[in-house]
Amino acid sequence: MEKRIVNPWKWQNERSYVQAIEVTKVKGTLYVSGQTAIDADGRSSTDDMKTQLIKSIQNLEKVIKEAGYKCKNIVRLNIYTTSSEELFTCFDVFQNWITEHNIKQASTLLEVKSLFETLKIELEATVVR
């Protein structure tokens, strides 16, 4: 697999995403449903945004690894949140995770009216190999 990043500007670098990514010679593509702070028994978290973000990241990693892919090969990562303001108080958790895995992804952040039950954050990814 080969990846080419397209960034006409520099400002997005501080925000932990790229403007576009071209992927060629792909051996497989994994489309991951939105991952949230739901435990192994299917119970939705009632915790704060930071705790839910951490659990959502852990669940995303689990699905990606279980499928035999690597987080560093996430090429698209959409973020849905019920409160951008609350998310940005702990956005460093997300940015540190992106840096830790050397992820270079196209992203969209959407604030939505609600998510399932008590959930505040959902991460939807496309991963290649």
Side-chain angles (χ1 to χ4, degrees), residues 12 24 31 33 46 52-54 59-60 72 79-80 96-98 117-118 125 128:
Q12 72 281 324
T24 57
Y31 300 94
S33 293
T46 57
Q52 286 199 24
L53 175 58
I54 292 167
N59 286 344
L60 180 60
K72 72 177 185 176
I79 305 165
Y80 303 90
N96 291 339
W97 177 73
I98 292 291
E117 297 180 336
T118 56
V128 295

Side-chain angles (χ1 to χ4, degrees), residues 9-100:
W9 310 282
K10 301 276 185 208
W11 57 261
Q12 72 281 324
N13 298 344
E14 294 178 12
R15 297 176 181 163
S16 300
Y17 75 99
V18 300
Q19 294 297 330
I21 184 167
E22 177 186 38
V23 183
T24 57
K25 301 180 185 175
V26 175
K27 293 181 183 174
T29 304
L30 180 68
Y31 300 94
V32 184
S33 293
Q35 297 300 305
T36 60
I38 293 181
D39 69 18
D41 295 320
R43 287 186 298 265
S44 297
S45 173
T46 57
D47 292 323
D48 63 12
M49 179 68 77
K50 182 176 183 178
T51 305
Q52 286 199 24
L53 175 58
I54 292 167
K55 181 63 175 169
S56 297
I57 289 170
Q58 291 169 343
N59 286 344
L60 180 60
E61 285 181 341
K62 184 174 180 69
V63 172
I64 291 169
K65 289 177 184 174
E66 185 79 18
Y69 286 72
K70 296 180 181 177
C71 290
K72 72 177 185 176
N73 291 329
I74 294 172
V75 294
R76 181 96 178 135
L77 182 57
N78 293 332
I79 305 165
Y80 303 90
T81 182
T82 56
S83 172
S84 297
E85 183 177 347
E86 193 177 353
L87 173 61
F88 289 132
T89 66
C90 57
F91 201 66
D92 62 314
V93 170
F94 176 78
Q95 290 181 303
N96 291 339
W97 177 73
I98 292 291
T99 301
E100 174 187 338

